[in-house]
């Protein structure tokens, strides 16, 4: 029997376990096809803190979701064994130690044939996760949805922070540059050619302005064709969305993606060989409504729906 989320007719949605979608909790990833993991960290953030509370609120707001996807017909809990395996015990007083702890945690997780589904937490966390992913899968394609490129050389002299992970990932050979896609970039920069650096490395950079008033489906069709069947990591920074949709984050930028475009991007990953996903930079203190976390939970569910092996129910 596959694990099922606890339904709203079995237990009121404001009660029950504090896991993602009120799924069963598990101590390890053994026997799982997909594992939800929290990384409650904000010590890599450069402006507003609060993402340490992101995983907890995403889990809390995920109680509203139901198991079947009404549009795509995905039925992830009919074909995948899924559970919530808790949080990485980071060192909240030491970012570098936290990065080591994250990689060590994921090394243990990936001893199993499981796809990690990460709730953040600031974007620093993607680097140590990719280091662990690389040990198992080698260099991966990367789909990175974000308002920012996160390719700074350093931040206040530090090489590890939430604005540097994809420069480090490029330098360390964790990702395939020609199969790396940055979607939703916008705003102001330190230099006129800030977004061109990644292009010189081979990244495909898609500005948010290129997607205004457009469907993202054609873009995702192109990306799927270019990536083919190689392993792919999907990282979604909630600040890629316009702050009118998702104000609960640390570094907002106006003119962002709409939630419908976010759905098109994630759903457009169906058919890819996804080996890991994350949703980062949810900062609950900046959205008292909780709606940013609601959106984040829904996007994580949509990621689950496009994992390899998910069955689809026909009408």
């Amino acid at each position: 029997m596959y694990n099922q989320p606890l339904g709203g007719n079995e237990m009121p949605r404001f009660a029950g376990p504090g896991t993602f979608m009120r799924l069963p909790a598990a101590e390890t990833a053994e026997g799982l096809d997909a594992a939800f993991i929290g990384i409650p960290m904000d010590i890599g953030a450069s402006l507003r803190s609060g993402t340490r509370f992101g995983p907890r609120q995403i889990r809390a707001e995920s109680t509203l979701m139901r198991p079947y996807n009404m549009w795509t017909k995905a039925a992830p809990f009919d074909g995948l064994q899924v559970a919530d395996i808790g949080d990485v015990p980071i060192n909240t007083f030491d970012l570098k130690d936290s990065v080591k702890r994250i990689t060590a945690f994921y090394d243990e997780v990936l001893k199993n044939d499981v796809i990690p589904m990460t709730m953040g937490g600031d974007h620093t966390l993607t680097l140590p996760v990719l280091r662990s992913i690389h040990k198992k899968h080698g260099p991966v394609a990367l789909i990175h949805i974000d308002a920012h490129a996160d390719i700074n050389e350093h931040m206040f002299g530090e090489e590890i922070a939430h604005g540097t992970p994809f420069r480090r990932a490029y330098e360390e050979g964790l990702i395939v540059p020609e199969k790396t896609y940055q979607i939703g970039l916008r705003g102001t920069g330190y230099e006129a050619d800030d977004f061109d650096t990644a292009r010189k490395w081979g990244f495909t950079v898609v500005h948010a302005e290129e997607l205004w008033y457009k469907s993202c489906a054609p873009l995702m069709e192109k990306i799927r064709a270019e990536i083919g069947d190689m392993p792919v990591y999907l990282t979604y920074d909630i600040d890629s969305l316009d702050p009118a949709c998702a104000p609960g984050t640390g570094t907002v930028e106006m003119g962002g993606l709409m939630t419908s475009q976010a759905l098109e991007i994630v759903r457009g990953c169906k058919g890819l060989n996804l080996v890991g996903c994350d949703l980062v930079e949810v900062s609950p203190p900046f959205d008292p409504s909780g709606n940013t976390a609601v959106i984040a939970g829904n996007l994580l569910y949509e990621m689950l729906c496009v994992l390899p092996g998910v069955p689809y129910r026909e009408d």
Side-chain angles (χ1 to χ4, degrees):
M1 292 291 292
Y2 294 109
N3 292 337
Q4 298 295 317
L6 183 61
N9 292 321
E10 301 172 72
M11 175 71 71
R13 295 196 180 278
F14 46 80
T19 55
F20 186 79
M21 289 185 73
R22 302 194 296 182
L23 282 160
E27 292 188 4
T28 72
E30 184 178 358
L32 300 179
D33 299 304
F36 285 96
I37 305 166
I39 304 183
M41 182 175 78
D42 58 14
I43 54 175
S46 58
L47 182 59
R48 305 193 299 194
S49 61
T51 56
R52 66 181 64 189
F53 303 113
R56 178 171 291 184
Q57 194 181 33
I58 291 170
R59 287 179 171 117
E61 300 296 350
S62 73
T63 62
L64 182 60
M65 292 186 292
R66 303 164 187 89
Y68 296 102
N69 192 313
M70 292 293 97
W71 181 253
T72 70
K73 306 303 181 185
F77 305 107
D78 286 1
L80 298 183
Q81 189 69 292
V82 188
D84 187 324
I85 64 171
D87 292 340
V88 178
I90 67 148
N91 179 350
T92 196
F93 304 105
D94 190 326
L95 179 59
K96 293 183 178 68
D97 182 48
S98 292
V99 165
K100 293 176 183 177
R101 286 167 174 251
I102 293 165
T103 298
F105 187 98
Y106 279 74
D107 285 350
E108 287 298 313
V109 168
L110 291 171
K111 288 179 179 178
N112 304 279
D113 189 18
V114 65
I115 299 174
M117 310 288 292
T118 305
M119 300 169 276
D122 73 65
H123 220 157
T124 311
L125 65 86
T126 303
L127 176 62
V129 173
L130 283 172
R131 285 172 172 167
S132 187
I133 291 279
H134 180 265
K135 294 175 186 176
K136 183 168 185 174
H137 298 285
V140 296
L142 180 73
I143 300 175
H144 170 206
I145 306 98
D146 203 325
H148 312 98
D150 293 351
I151 57 166
N152 292 335
E153 174 62 41
H154 54 75
M155 302 185 78
F156 283 91
E158 296 292 335
E159 293 186 351
I160 303 296
H162 77 158
T164 68
F166 302 108
R167 179 180 286 264
R168 301 287 91 83
Y170 166 74
E171 292 172 345
E172 295 177 23
L174 308 180
I175 56 178
V176 179
E178 295 76 18
K179 307 283 186 175
T180 294
Y181 303 86
Q182 296 189 308
I183 304 169
L185 274 57
R186 61 189 189 275
T188 54
Y190 293 104
E191 303 287 344
D193 62 349
D194 270 2
F195 292 165
D196 294 329
T197 300
R199 290 190 176 101
K200 293 173 184 175
W201 297 341
F203 293 15
T204 297
V205 177
V206 182
H207 289 245
E209 287 86 346
E210 297 177 61
L211 299 172
W212 284 358
Y213 318 116
K214 295 179 182 177
S215 168
C216 294
L219 170 64
M220 295 310 298
E221 183 177 3
K222 174 178 178 288
I223 289 173
R224 286 196 307 273
E226 291 177 355
I227 289 178
D229 60 359
M230 75 176 305
V232 188
Y233 190 86
L234 172 63
T235 180
Y236 199 108
D237 189 324
I238 202 70
D239 72 23
S240 63
L241 294 173
D242 191 89
C245 303
T249 191
T251 48
V252 297
E253 303 282 0
M254 66 182 296
L257 302 175
M258 296 290 104
T259 53
S260 55
Q261 293 174 306
L263 287 172
E264 288 181 316
I265 291 169
V266 176
R267 290 174 179 176
C269 292
K270 180 186 177 184
L272 291 174
N273 181 21
L274 289 166
V275 296
C277 307
D278 67 47
L279 190 294
V280 300
E281 296 287 357
V282 172
S283 184
F286 296 98
D287 185 2
S289 74
N291 287 343
T292 302
V294 171
I295 293 168
N298 275 272
L299 289 175
L300 281 159
Y301 168 77
E302 292 285 345
M303 293 176 192
L304 181 68
C305 287
V306 296
L307 295 186
V310 169
Y312 285 75
R313 290 196 170 195
E314 300 301 327
D315 290 328

